Short mmCIF file of all heavy atoms in Angstrom, two decimals:
data_model
loop_
_atom_site.label_atom_id
_atom_site.label_comp_id
_atom_site.label_asym_id
_atom_site.label_seq_id
_atom_site.Cartn_x
_atom_site.Cartn_y
_atom_site.Cartn_z
N SER A 5 -25.13 -9.06 -3.40
CA SER A 5 -25.12 -7.60 -3.33
C SER A 5 -24.07 -7.05 -4.30
O SER A 5 -23.16 -7.75 -4.72
CB SER A 5 -24.82 -7.13 -1.91
OG SER A 5 -23.54 -7.55 -1.53
N LEU A 6 -24.22 -5.78 -4.60
CA LEU A 6 -23.28 -5.10 -5.48
C LEU A 6 -21.95 -4.92 -4.76
O LEU A 6 -21.91 -4.41 -3.65
CB LEU A 6 -23.83 -3.72 -5.88
CG LEU A 6 -22.89 -2.84 -6.68
CD1 LEU A 6 -22.63 -3.45 -8.05
CD2 LEU A 6 -23.48 -1.45 -6.83
N GLN A 7 -20.88 -5.35 -5.40
CA GLN A 7 -19.54 -5.16 -4.86
C GLN A 7 -18.62 -4.83 -6.01
O GLN A 7 -18.67 -5.46 -7.05
CB GLN A 7 -19.07 -6.42 -4.15
CG GLN A 7 -19.94 -6.76 -2.98
CD GLN A 7 -19.43 -7.96 -2.22
OE1 GLN A 7 -18.33 -8.43 -2.43
NE2 GLN A 7 -20.25 -8.46 -1.32
N ARG A 8 -17.82 -3.83 -5.80
CA ARG A 8 -16.88 -3.42 -6.84
C ARG A 8 -15.48 -3.92 -6.47
O ARG A 8 -15.06 -3.79 -5.33
CB ARG A 8 -16.87 -1.91 -6.99
CG ARG A 8 -18.23 -1.38 -7.38
CD ARG A 8 -18.13 0.05 -7.83
NE ARG A 8 -19.44 0.65 -7.99
CZ ARG A 8 -20.18 0.53 -9.08
NH1 ARG A 8 -19.76 -0.17 -10.10
NH2 ARG A 8 -21.36 1.12 -9.15
N PRO A 9 -14.76 -4.47 -7.44
CA PRO A 9 -13.42 -4.96 -7.14
C PRO A 9 -12.47 -3.81 -6.85
O PRO A 9 -12.60 -2.72 -7.40
CB PRO A 9 -13.00 -5.69 -8.42
CG PRO A 9 -13.87 -5.14 -9.49
CD PRO A 9 -15.14 -4.69 -8.83
N GLU A 10 -11.52 -4.06 -5.94
CA GLU A 10 -10.50 -3.06 -5.66
C GLU A 10 -9.49 -3.07 -6.80
O GLU A 10 -9.13 -4.12 -7.31
CB GLU A 10 -9.75 -3.40 -4.35
CG GLU A 10 -10.55 -3.12 -3.12
CD GLU A 10 -9.71 -3.31 -1.87
OE1 GLU A 10 -8.47 -3.22 -1.95
OE2 GLU A 10 -10.31 -3.57 -0.83
N ARG A 11 -9.06 -1.89 -7.17
CA ARG A 11 -8.05 -1.80 -8.22
C ARG A 11 -6.70 -1.65 -7.54
O ARG A 11 -6.45 -0.67 -6.86
CB ARG A 11 -8.35 -0.63 -9.12
CG ARG A 11 -9.68 -0.77 -9.83
CD ARG A 11 -9.77 0.19 -11.00
NE ARG A 11 -11.09 0.19 -11.58
CZ ARG A 11 -11.53 -0.71 -12.46
NH1 ARG A 11 -10.75 -1.68 -12.85
NH2 ARG A 11 -12.75 -0.63 -12.94
N ARG A 12 -5.85 -2.65 -7.73
CA ARG A 12 -4.52 -2.63 -7.14
C ARG A 12 -3.51 -3.06 -8.20
O ARG A 12 -3.79 -3.92 -9.03
CB ARG A 12 -4.41 -3.60 -5.97
CG ARG A 12 -5.23 -3.18 -4.78
CD ARG A 12 -4.95 -4.09 -3.64
NE ARG A 12 -5.63 -3.58 -2.46
CZ ARG A 12 -5.34 -3.93 -1.24
NH1 ARG A 12 -4.38 -4.80 -1.03
NH2 ARG A 12 -5.99 -3.43 -0.22
N ALA A 13 -2.34 -2.49 -8.12
CA ALA A 13 -1.28 -2.87 -9.03
C ALA A 13 -0.86 -4.31 -8.77
O ALA A 13 -0.75 -4.73 -7.62
CB ALA A 13 -0.09 -1.94 -8.86
N MET A 14 -0.63 -5.05 -9.82
CA MET A 14 -0.19 -6.44 -9.67
C MET A 14 1.19 -6.50 -9.02
O MET A 14 1.54 -7.47 -8.37
CB MET A 14 -0.19 -7.14 -11.02
CG MET A 14 -1.59 -7.34 -11.57
SD MET A 14 -1.62 -8.20 -13.14
CE MET A 14 -1.05 -9.80 -12.65
N GLU A 15 1.98 -5.44 -9.21
CA GLU A 15 3.34 -5.41 -8.68
C GLU A 15 3.38 -4.99 -7.21
O GLU A 15 4.44 -4.87 -6.63
CB GLU A 15 4.20 -4.42 -9.48
CG GLU A 15 4.25 -4.71 -10.97
CD GLU A 15 3.08 -4.13 -11.73
OE1 GLU A 15 2.29 -3.36 -11.16
OE2 GLU A 15 2.94 -4.47 -12.91
N ARG A 16 2.24 -4.76 -6.60
CA ARG A 16 2.16 -4.27 -5.23
C ARG A 16 2.91 -5.20 -4.28
O ARG A 16 2.71 -6.41 -4.29
CB ARG A 16 0.69 -4.18 -4.84
CG ARG A 16 0.44 -3.55 -3.50
CD ARG A 16 -1.07 -3.48 -3.27
NE ARG A 16 -1.36 -3.08 -1.92
CZ ARG A 16 -1.78 -1.87 -1.58
NH1 ARG A 16 -1.95 -0.96 -2.50
NH2 ARG A 16 -2.04 -1.58 -0.32
N ASP A 17 3.77 -4.62 -3.45
CA ASP A 17 4.58 -5.38 -2.50
C ASP A 17 4.17 -4.98 -1.08
O ASP A 17 4.58 -3.95 -0.57
CB ASP A 17 6.07 -5.07 -2.76
CG ASP A 17 6.99 -5.89 -1.86
OD1 ASP A 17 6.50 -6.52 -0.90
OD2 ASP A 17 8.19 -5.87 -2.11
N GLU A 18 3.34 -5.80 -0.46
CA GLU A 18 2.79 -5.48 0.86
C GLU A 18 3.88 -5.30 1.91
O GLU A 18 3.78 -4.43 2.78
CB GLU A 18 1.79 -6.55 1.30
CG GLU A 18 0.55 -6.66 0.43
CD GLU A 18 -0.32 -5.42 0.44
OE1 GLU A 18 -0.33 -4.67 1.43
OE2 GLU A 18 -1.01 -5.19 -0.58
N SER A 19 4.94 -6.11 1.86
CA SER A 19 5.99 -5.99 2.88
C SER A 19 6.76 -4.68 2.71
O SER A 19 7.13 -4.04 3.70
CB SER A 19 6.94 -7.18 2.82
OG SER A 19 7.59 -7.24 1.57
N GLU A 20 6.98 -4.24 1.48
CA GLU A 20 7.66 -2.97 1.24
C GLU A 20 6.78 -1.79 1.69
O GLU A 20 7.27 -0.81 2.26
CB GLU A 20 8.03 -2.83 -0.24
CG GLU A 20 8.71 -1.53 -0.59
CD GLU A 20 10.04 -1.30 0.14
OE1 GLU A 20 10.67 -2.27 0.61
OE2 GLU A 20 10.45 -0.12 0.24
N ILE A 21 5.48 -1.91 1.48
CA ILE A 21 4.55 -0.87 1.92
C ILE A 21 4.58 -0.77 3.45
O ILE A 21 4.66 0.32 4.02
CB ILE A 21 3.13 -1.14 1.40
CG1 ILE A 21 3.11 -0.97 -0.12
CG2 ILE A 21 2.10 -0.22 2.07
CD1 ILE A 21 1.83 -1.46 -0.78
N ALA A 22 4.54 -1.90 4.13
CA ALA A 22 4.59 -1.91 5.60
C ALA A 22 5.89 -1.31 6.11
O ALA A 22 5.91 -0.54 7.07
CB ALA A 22 4.41 -3.34 6.12
N ARG A 23 7.02 -1.64 5.45
CA ARG A 23 8.31 -1.08 5.84
C ARG A 23 8.31 0.44 5.68
O ARG A 23 8.75 1.18 6.55
CB ARG A 23 9.44 -1.69 5.01
CG ARG A 23 10.84 -1.24 5.48
CD ARG A 23 11.87 -1.31 4.38
NE ARG A 23 11.62 -0.44 3.25
CZ ARG A 23 11.82 0.89 3.23
NH1 ARG A 23 12.25 1.51 4.30
NH2 ARG A 23 11.58 1.59 2.16
N TRP A 24 7.78 0.92 4.55
CA TRP A 24 7.74 2.36 4.28
C TRP A 24 6.90 3.10 5.33
O TRP A 24 7.30 4.13 5.85
CB TRP A 24 7.19 2.62 2.88
CG TRP A 24 7.31 4.04 2.45
CD1 TRP A 24 8.36 4.61 1.80
CD2 TRP A 24 6.35 5.08 2.67
NE1 TRP A 24 8.11 5.94 1.59
CE2 TRP A 24 6.88 6.27 2.12
CE3 TRP A 24 5.11 5.14 3.27
CZ2 TRP A 24 6.22 7.48 2.15
CZ3 TRP A 24 4.43 6.35 3.30
CH2 TRP A 24 4.99 7.50 2.75
N ILE A 25 5.74 2.52 5.65
CA ILE A 25 4.86 3.14 6.65
C ILE A 25 5.55 3.18 8.02
O ILE A 25 5.46 4.16 8.75
CB ILE A 25 3.50 2.41 6.72
CG1 ILE A 25 2.71 2.68 5.44
CG2 ILE A 25 2.71 2.83 7.94
CD1 ILE A 25 1.45 1.86 5.29
N ALA A 26 6.24 2.12 8.37
CA ALA A 26 6.88 2.04 9.69
C ALA A 26 8.12 2.92 9.80
O ALA A 26 8.37 3.51 10.86
CB ALA A 26 7.25 0.59 9.99
N HIS A 27 8.89 3.07 8.71
CA HIS A 27 10.18 3.78 8.81
C HIS A 27 10.20 5.13 8.10
O HIS A 27 10.69 6.12 8.67
CB HIS A 27 11.31 2.89 8.27
CG HIS A 27 11.44 1.61 9.03
ND1 HIS A 27 11.94 1.56 10.30
CD2 HIS A 27 11.10 0.34 8.71
CE1 HIS A 27 11.93 0.31 10.73
NE2 HIS A 27 11.41 -0.46 9.78
N GLU A 28 9.72 5.18 6.88
CA GLU A 28 9.84 6.41 6.09
C GLU A 28 8.77 7.44 6.46
O GLU A 28 9.07 8.63 6.56
CB GLU A 28 9.76 6.10 4.59
CG GLU A 28 10.84 5.16 4.10
CD GLU A 28 12.24 5.73 4.27
OE1 GLU A 28 12.42 6.96 4.10
OE2 GLU A 28 13.16 4.95 4.58
N TRP A 29 7.54 7.00 6.62
CA TRP A 29 6.46 7.95 6.90
C TRP A 29 6.69 8.74 8.20
O TRP A 29 6.56 9.97 8.19
CB TRP A 29 5.11 7.24 6.91
CG TRP A 29 3.97 8.15 7.24
CD1 TRP A 29 3.14 8.05 8.31
CD2 TRP A 29 3.55 9.32 6.53
NE1 TRP A 29 2.23 9.06 8.31
CE2 TRP A 29 2.45 9.87 7.22
CE3 TRP A 29 4.00 9.96 5.38
CZ2 TRP A 29 1.78 11.01 6.81
CZ3 TRP A 29 3.33 11.10 4.96
CH2 TRP A 29 2.25 11.62 5.67
N PRO A 30 7.08 8.10 9.30
CA PRO A 30 7.34 8.89 10.51
C PRO A 30 8.47 9.91 10.30
O PRO A 30 8.40 11.03 10.81
CB PRO A 30 7.75 7.84 11.55
CG PRO A 30 7.12 6.58 11.07
CD PRO A 30 7.14 6.66 9.58
N ARG A 31 9.50 9.54 9.52
CA ARG A 31 10.60 10.46 9.24
C ARG A 31 10.10 11.67 8.45
O ARG A 31 10.41 12.80 8.77
CB ARG A 31 11.70 9.74 8.48
CG ARG A 31 12.93 10.60 8.18
CD ARG A 31 13.96 9.85 7.37
NE ARG A 31 13.46 9.39 6.07
CZ ARG A 31 13.33 10.17 4.99
NH1 ARG A 31 13.61 11.45 5.07
NH2 ARG A 31 12.91 9.68 3.86
N ILE A 32 9.29 11.41 7.43
CA ILE A 32 8.74 12.49 6.60
C ILE A 32 7.80 13.38 7.42
O ILE A 32 7.82 14.60 7.32
CB ILE A 32 8.01 11.92 5.38
CG1 ILE A 32 9.02 11.23 4.46
CG2 ILE A 32 7.24 12.98 4.63
CD1 ILE A 32 8.38 10.38 3.38
#
């Protein structure tokens, strides 16, 4: 089937994203 690849930055840091969502987003 047709599937398109996700475009993500190679520098993406999943643990930093999870930390930001858990701590910074609620504050904002």
Side-chain angles (χ1 to χ4, degrees):
S5 63
L6 174 66
Q7 297 184 11
R8 299 193 190 276
E10 285 187 24
R11 298 197 187 277
R12 292 186 173 198
M14 292 181 67
E15 303 84 8
R16 186 178 171 105
D17 183 349
E18 296 296 333
S19 62
E20 179 60 22
I21 292 169
R23 186 205 63 76
W24 189 90
I25 290 172
H27 300 288
E28 300 298 324
W29 178 242
R31 182 183 61 78
I32 294 168

